[in-house]
Structure formats: structure tokens, C-alpha cells
Amino acid sequence: MFGIVWMFVVLCATYVIVMRTPLGQIDTQWRNLYMYVWANWDGGHYTSIASKGYEIVQYAFFPLFPFLIKVVHHLIGEGHSYILAGLIVSRTALLVALVYLYKLFRLDYDESQSQMSLFLLLAFPTSMFLLAVYTEPLFLATSAASIYYARKKNWAMAGGAAFLAGLTRTVGIALLFPLIYEFLKNIPARTVSEQIGKAVRDWRFTFCFFSLVGVLVYATYSYGQTGNFLQMLDSQKYWTEIANRGGEGIRSPIRAIRVGYEAIETFEVSP
């Protein structure tokens, strides 16, 4: 319930900032600037991939999120924007993430401590990005679900969630480590090598590697489209160069602050 209330407060605050102040007059080419502020930067690429497919430099953006945007857009109808579909996906994923995080915390902590953990997560200033058309909420949901099911020894579900995390972001591969740890710690043995030996003979151990499978599936898809198995890494190099070119990674936020400040000085607040 707190998550829903927090989401409502942030959305209302954003509306006031964007639509009822000079910031809402910066760019009139957008029919709905309020929607756009939640889907700029990477969000624009994800909605573009969902609507038109990949361009060569966009293979750095993993496919699960834009695929879900495309599915939701089909469900809500062609008359609605891909940004709206993206917002539905990201905010639904956030609610799922909060549920699994709470269930995960409750394995080790009492109810009040678990609720406080979620409160601190949402109270952190940059948590607003969990509402944007970015992969953060989806990755948080799949990662939390994977670790939760691993803790519950439901390896099929843990592997399935890890597979989805691997299709969401490159760092989904990192789920290999907590899943392998959780699997090994439940195997009685005198040495680590003995634990590993027993794990290898257990077919359920393969689920621990499903996050890597997710990345490999995307790499295979990329190869089929571009002839380059590592196209995701080559595309990422392009964006890294753009960000680092002449200090652009530092200048961009400074420029955004300056534009906003100049707009506030120029325009009067809307009545």
C-alpha cells in the first residue's frame, strides 16, 4: 500500500513541476510533455525499439523491456502511445519488485524491519527513476524474484526469473553468484570441492546459470540480425564514447540545469 501511495505522490509532484510551472513551456513540440519526461534518454530508445525494431546502435539495450512494451501497446490499442505502454510496464514491474523484496526481507527480518527497508528504498531521492520508462524496475523485480525463489529452494522459478533478468540487462549475469552460493550452501559436505562435485551431479544446478542463458539468447538474436555475436558490446562502446567525448557526460546534466533555470527566469508560473 505504501508503494502505491508513494507512486501517487511522486506522479502528482511531477505533474505540478512539469505542467504548472515554466518547465512545461520549454518544448511545445511534445503533445504531452508530462508523459515525455518519464521516457527521455534511454526511454526513447526502448519505445523506439518497441515500435520500429532495433537500429544498429541500439543493440546495447536489451530486449525484454521493449518486448513487454510492444505487448502492452498491442493490448491497450494502437490509439495509445508507446510511452504509455512503457509506463504501464515499468510501474507494474515496480509493484512486483516491492512484493518480492518484501517477501525476501521477511525471510530474515520481522514485518516492521521489512516495511522500513521498502520505505528507505522509495524515500531515496533517485528512486523516482523506478517510475520511468527504464529497465531499473523490471531488473529489480526479476532479480528479487530470482533470489527469493533460490532462498526457498524453488530452482525452476529462480532460474526462470534469472533468465528474464539476463534478457533485461547485461549485469543480470551477476545473478550467477548468489544462486550458486544458495545452491551450494544447502549441500552437506566437508569441503567446497565436495559440494561442487555433488552440485554438478544434480540437474537442478543448471538453473543457477539461466541468467547467462538469457544473455546468450540475446547475443544469438543479435547475431541473426547483424552477423555479430557481440553486437551488444560494440553498440555499448558507441554510447560510452558519446558520453565521454569532451566531457559530455558531465556537461549534459549541467546544460539541463541551465536550461531549466533560464526557463524559470523567462516565463511566469501558470495560474
Side-chain angles (χ1 to χ4, degrees), residues 58-104:
Q58 292 178 324
Y59 281 91
F61 303 97
F62 274 50
L64 181 59
F65 189 47
F67 171 76
L68 292 177
I69 293 175
K70 188 176 186 68
V71 170
V72 171
H73 182 262
H74 176 74
L75 293 176
I76 63 177
E78 296 295 327
H80 298 282
S81 70
Y82 280 91
I83 293 179
L84 175 61
L87 292 174
I88 292 173
V89 172
S90 61
R91 292 168 189 187
T92 301
L94 174 59
L95 294 178
V96 173
L98 294 177
V99 170
Y100 276 108
L101 283 173
Y102 178 79
K103 290 161 70 75
L104 183 59

Side-chain angles (χ1 to χ4, degrees), residues 16 31 34 44 63 98 105-106 111-112 138 163 167 171 178 218:
V16 172
R31 290 188 303 170
Y34 175 70
L98 294 177
F105 295 151
R106 288 292 282 126
E111 182 177 355
S112 62
L138 181 60
F163 174 77
L167 285 173
V171 292
Y218 178 48

Side-chain angles (χ1 to χ4, degrees), residues 3 43 90 126 146 172 183 214 219 231 265:
S90 61
T126 55
S146 180
F183 196 92
Q231 183 60 52
E265 283 191 322

Side-chain angles (χ1 to χ4, degrees), residues 181-231:
Y181 169 78
E182 286 295 330
F183 196 92
L184 292 179
K185 82 173 188 178
N186 293 299
I187 298 177
R190 288 172 295 181
T191 64
V192 174
S193 60
E194 185 179 348
Q195 282 182 313
I196 295 175
K198 290 182 178 181
V200 170
R201 292 190 293 271
D202 189 334
W203 64 272
R204 297 174 302 173
F205 189 52
T206 57
F207 288 120
C208 297
F209 298 87
F210 269 36
S211 60
L212 177 59
V213 174
V215 176
L216 291 177
V217 167
Y218 178 48
T220 303
Y221 169 80
S222 301
Y223 177 79
Q225 297 296 310
T226 67
N228 184 356
F229 192 75
L230 299 178
Q231 183 60 52

Side-chain angles (χ1 to χ4, degrees), residues 102-137:
Y102 178 79
K103 290 161 70 75
L104 183 59
F105 295 151
R106 288 292 282 126
L107 296 179
D108 299 301
Y109 304 103
D110 60 31
E111 182 177 355
S112 62
Q113 291 173 315
S114 300
Q115 291 176 346
M116 178 56 67
S117 298
L118 296 183
F119 172 80
L120 293 175
L121 169 67
L122 297 178
F124 195 77
T126 55
S127 65
M128 63 181 181
F129 290 107
L130 294 173
L131 291 174
V133 185
Y134 296 159
T135 56
E136 277 75 7

